[in-house]
Amino acid sequence: MSDVKAESSVMGQIVALCKRRGFVYPASEIYGGIRGFWDYGPLGILLKNNIRDWWWRQMVLCPPIGPDGHPVDMVGLDSAIIQHPRTWEASGHVAGFNDPMVDDIGVSRYRADHMFGMFAAGADVPVATCVASSLGEAAEMIATDKKLQKLFGLRNVEVAERNEAGVTAVKASYKGQPFEGTILCLYPPAREGLFPTYPSPSTGEVGKLTDPRAFNLMLDTYPGPIRDEANKAYLRPETAQGIFLNFKNVVDTTRVKVPFGVAQVGKSFRNEVTPRNFIFRSREFEQMEMEWFCPPDDALMWYDFWKHERMKWWESLGVAKENLKFRDHDKDELSHYSKATVDIEYKYPFTAPDFGELEGIAHRGSYDLTQHQEHSKQKLDYFDQELQLRLKEQGIAPEEIKARSRYIPNVIEPASGLTRAVLVLLCEAYTVDAARPSGVYLKFKPKFAPIKAGIYPLVAKDGMPEVAEKLYLDLRNRFTCEYDPKQAIGKRYARMDEIGTPFCVTVDGDTLKDQTVTIRHRDTLQQERIGLDKVKDFLRDRVEE
């Protein structure tokens, strides 16, 4: 269990660093905070915007080269957070956007699929329960949380084995007797009425848990002066529907032709039962979504295309290949609209050695446009003139040409969380180095580091601040830099390590003599001397690549 403990400790250290250095703060902290909401501080917003801007550039401004050797056709959109309520009826969110919820009467409330139990061999009632987001996290909690072990009469818990089916073999002492068993997710239960027989994760008391029930994840609101059901609206749980509602607008007002994509970055809201794992799962978050509209016959080809393009994009952020993988959804976990879905998963500290969801690429078929066409009574089909001409050249019968050249496009949707991407880069960059004064540094790829360079006078006298500030004013027009003339230079370097700044430029006494400065490299701690007039080119070559 030492590896699991280490991974848990790393996540705690990352969260502490984010607060201490201004990446992420608890929202409304002076009032005790509000669960599931986070504020992005001065460095957090810079990191988030760097990721957002790179996604926008790679998806909209410089989209990928398609199978035909030419750039794919892509436009952007920024749709309203609040849409007409019937939007969510058509999309299925009102009726089907639910999580199973279990009440712990008088204590708390849990997502049923986040509840895990430790079972004796052959038993259907757990001897201990916990709330986690993965089997690995559940095993860690049961094996390391002394309060939890004391609550359930456990001692000397040892996780012996994990297999691909998601079952963990456990050895322990239970109420003084040797115990062997497994850890499993409690949901779905083997039969109705089991949850009331399970011990509470918080108190150990039996009979306080309710059976799971559906809990709608949409946050509602009431635009206008009247607060009644007729005026009820929702904060969007995803950005995708705003794209579908504007499909005809985009076709009619731009020069795009199927196949093409519409990309959007924006806030979404989900009333998560149990937000957890820092900013991994929160109630307010930002998404980066794209809907790719294509002919039905080409949908599988485009699904495979976008699957691999999105993996390449995550690698372009500096995420190691070994920390990323594809996971195809089984048929029983596909969304109601999906013909196929694959997740790109990342090995987070709180899921290790397992992986957790990072981005989903879904083949949505024609479900969304069909639903909105039926509910709005507006035509959302597409006349494919180029296909019509090709079919005529092939000598296809007029009836078949007519049927095939007008269709409702299929949709391929790569959808990822921008705020989850921030978490991934923080986890990926976090590097322990006991030899440094800071003890750790953030090894961001220079392109995405919040601050690209620190510009420092060695001391705040002898003309050094004036030279350093002049250099800073010249560089800031192109690079996000920081000028700081105070503190010992070692402390300034340590702070730059902790926030992931790749380079520090120091003006010293020799600068005034020979017009050279010292460049300190974050990753290697190497220091080199270059000309003052070469600094801009130095940063350009290393930050913009």
Side-chain angles (χ1 to χ4, degrees), residues 519-528:
I519 302 285
R520 177 186 184 268
H521 295 251
R522 176 199 63 201
D523 297 345
T524 64
L525 300 181
Q526 173 191 354
Q527 296 193 19
E528 63 176 302

PDB file of all heavy atoms in Angstrom, residues 519-528:
ATOM      1  N   ILE A 519      20.780  33.564 -17.582  1.00  0.00           N
ATOM      2  CA  ILE A 519      19.530  32.818 -17.780  1.00  0.00           C
ATOM      3  C   ILE A 519      19.592  31.557 -16.928  1.00  0.00           C
ATOM      4  O   ILE A 519      20.514  30.742 -17.062  1.00  0.00           O
ATOM      5  CB  ILE A 519      19.326  32.419 -19.246  1.00  0.00           C
ATOM      6  CG1 ILE A 519      19.327  33.638 -20.157  1.00  0.00           C
ATOM      7  CG2 ILE A 519      18.023  31.620 -19.394  1.00  0.00           C
ATOM      8  CD1 ILE A 519      18.085  34.459 -20.119  1.00  0.00           C
ATOM      9  N   ARG A 520      18.601  31.378 -16.052  1.00  0.00           N
ATOM     10  CA  ARG A 520      18.507  30.166 -15.222  1.00  0.00           C
ATOM     11  C   ARG A 520      17.414  29.268 -15.780  1.00  0.00           C
ATOM     12  O   ARG A 520      16.275  29.700 -15.982  1.00  0.00           O
ATOM     13  CB  ARG A 520      18.187  30.526 -13.779  1.00  0.00           C
ATOM     14  CG  ARG A 520      17.994  29.317 -12.853  1.00  0.00           C
ATOM     15  CD  ARG A 520      17.541  29.800 -11.489  1.00  0.00           C
ATOM     16  NE  ARG A 520      17.409  28.738 -10.515  1.00  0.00           N
ATOM     17  CZ  ARG A 520      16.273  28.075 -10.281  1.00  0.00           C
ATOM     18  NH1 ARG A 520      15.182  28.341 -10.979  1.00  0.00           N
ATOM     19  NH2 ARG A 520      16.226  27.139  -9.342  1.00  0.00           N
ATOM     20  N   HIS A 521      17.742  28.007 -16.050  1.00  0.00           N
ATOM     21  CA  HIS A 521      16.792  27.033 -16.588  1.00  0.00           C
ATOM     22  C   HIS A 521      16.114  26.300 -15.426  1.00  0.00           C
ATOM     23  O   HIS A 521      16.787  25.720 -14.577  1.00  0.00           O
ATOM     24  CB  HIS A 521      17.499  26.035 -17.489  1.00  0.00           C
ATOM     25  CG  HIS A 521      18.083  26.633 -18.725  1.00  0.00           C
ATOM     26  ND1 HIS A 521      17.563  26.413 -19.982  1.00  0.00           N
ATOM     27  CD2 HIS A 521      19.140  27.484 -18.903  1.00  0.00           C
ATOM     28  CE1 HIS A 521      18.273  27.067 -20.880  1.00  0.00           C
ATOM     29  NE2 HIS A 521      19.243  27.728 -20.254  1.00  0.00           N
ATOM     30  N   ARG A 522      14.809  26.300 -15.414  1.00  0.00           N
ATOM     31  CA  ARG A 522      14.041  25.669 -14.332  1.00  0.00           C
ATOM     32  C   ARG A 522      14.326  24.182 -14.190  1.00  0.00           C
ATOM     33  O   ARG A 522      14.546  23.679 -13.084  1.00  0.00           O
ATOM     34  CB  ARG A 522      12.545  25.869 -14.610  1.00  0.00           C
ATOM     35  CG  ARG A 522      11.598  25.188 -13.631  1.00  0.00           C
ATOM     36  CD  ARG A 522      10.217  25.059 -14.254  1.00  0.00           C
ATOM     37  NE  ARG A 522      10.243  24.205 -15.445  1.00  0.00           N
ATOM     38  CZ  ARG A 522       9.315  24.230 -16.394  1.00  0.00           C
ATOM     39  NH1 ARG A 522       8.301  25.074 -16.325  1.00  0.00           N
ATOM     40  NH2 ARG A 522       9.402  23.406 -17.443  1.00  0.00           N
ATOM     41  N   ASP A 523      14.323  23.449 -15.287  1.00  0.00           N
ATOM     42  CA  ASP A 523      14.374  21.992 -15.206  1.00  0.00           C
ATOM     43  C   ASP A 523      15.759  21.460 -14.839  1.00  0.00           C
ATOM     44  O   ASP A 523      15.880  20.486 -14.100  1.00  0.00           O
ATOM     45  CB  ASP A 523      13.933  21.372 -16.535  1.00  0.00           C
ATOM     46  CG  ASP A 523      12.485  21.714 -16.879  1.00  0.00           C
ATOM     47  OD1 ASP A 523      11.753  22.177 -15.974  1.00  0.00           O
ATOM     48  OD2 ASP A 523      12.089  21.527 -18.040  1.00  0.00           O
ATOM     49  N   THR A 524      16.800  22.090 -15.377  1.00  0.00           N
ATOM     50  CA  THR A 524      18.159  21.587 -15.157  1.00  0.00           C
ATOM     51  C   THR A 524      18.946  22.389 -14.135  1.00  0.00           C
ATOM     52  O   THR A 524      20.020  21.951 -13.703  1.00  0.00           O
ATOM     53  CB  THR A 524      18.945  21.612 -16.488  1.00  0.00           C
ATOM     54  OG1 THR A 524      19.088  22.980 -16.912  1.00  0.00           O
ATOM     55  CG2 THR A 524      18.223  20.816 -17.560  1.00  0.00           C
ATOM     56  N   LEU A 525      18.439  23.559 -13.767  1.00  0.00           N
ATOM     57  CA  LEU A 525      19.128  24.509 -12.891  1.00  0.00           C
ATOM     58  C   LEU A 525      20.406  25.062 -13.528  1.00  0.00           C
ATOM     59  O   LEU A 525      21.189  25.757 -12.878  1.00  0.00           O
ATOM     60  CB  LEU A 525      19.466  23.867 -11.530  1.00  0.00           C
ATOM     61  CG  LEU A 525      18.264  23.366 -10.726  1.00  0.00           C
ATOM     62  CD1 LEU A 525      18.733  22.791  -9.392  1.00  0.00           C
ATOM     63  CD2 LEU A 525      17.263  24.481 -10.490  1.00  0.00           C
ATOM     64  N   GLN A 526      20.606  24.766 -14.799  1.00  0.00           N
ATOM     65  CA  GLN A 526      21.755  25.299 -15.526  1.00  0.00           C
ATOM     66  C   GLN A 526      21.643  26.820 -15.631  1.00  0.00           C
ATOM     67  O   GLN A 526      20.546  27.373 -15.792  1.00  0.00           O
ATOM     68  CB  GLN A 526      21.809  24.690 -16.931  1.00  0.00           C
ATOM     69  CG  GLN A 526      22.863  25.306 -17.839  1.00  0.00           C
ATOM     70  CD  GLN A 526      22.706  24.875 -19.290  1.00  0.00           C
ATOM     71  OE1 GLN A 526      21.884  24.024 -19.608  1.00  0.00           O
ATOM     72  NE2 GLN A 526      23.491  25.470 -20.172  1.00  0.00           N
ATOM     73  N   GLN A 527      22.746  27.509 -15.559  1.00  0.00           N
ATOM     74  CA  GLN A 527      22.785  28.947 -15.756  1.00  0.00           C
ATOM     75  C   GLN A 527      23.742  29.259 -16.904  1.00  0.00           C
ATOM     76  O   GLN A 527      24.839  28.700 -16.968  1.00  0.00           O
ATOM     77  CB  GLN A 527      23.222  29.673 -14.486  1.00  0.00           C
ATOM     78  CG  GLN A 527      22.227  29.496 -13.333  1.00  0.00           C
ATOM     79  CD  GLN A 527      22.485  30.444 -12.180  1.00  0.00           C
ATOM     80  OE1 GLN A 527      23.159  31.460 -12.342  1.00  0.00           O
ATOM     81  NE2 GLN A 527      21.945  30.132 -11.012  1.00  0.00           N
ATOM     82  N   GLU A 528      23.299  30.107 -17.814  1.00  0.00           N
ATOM     83  CA  GLU A 528      24.139  30.486 -18.943  1.00  0.00           C
ATOM     84  C   GLU A 528      24.103  31.997 -19.138  1.00  0.00           C
ATOM     85  O   GLU A 528      23.152  32.667 -18.738  1.00  0.00           O
ATOM     86  CB  GLU A 528      23.712  29.773 -20.217  1.00  0.00           C
ATOM     87  CG  GLU A 528      22.310  30.105 -20.698  1.00  0.00           C
ATOM     88  CD  GLU A 528      21.974  29.432 -22.029  1.00  0.00           C
ATOM     89  OE1 GLU A 528      22.718  29.684 -23.008  1.00  0.00           O
ATOM     90  OE2 GLU A 528      20.985  28.679 -22.082  1.00  0.00           O
TER      91      GLU A 528
END
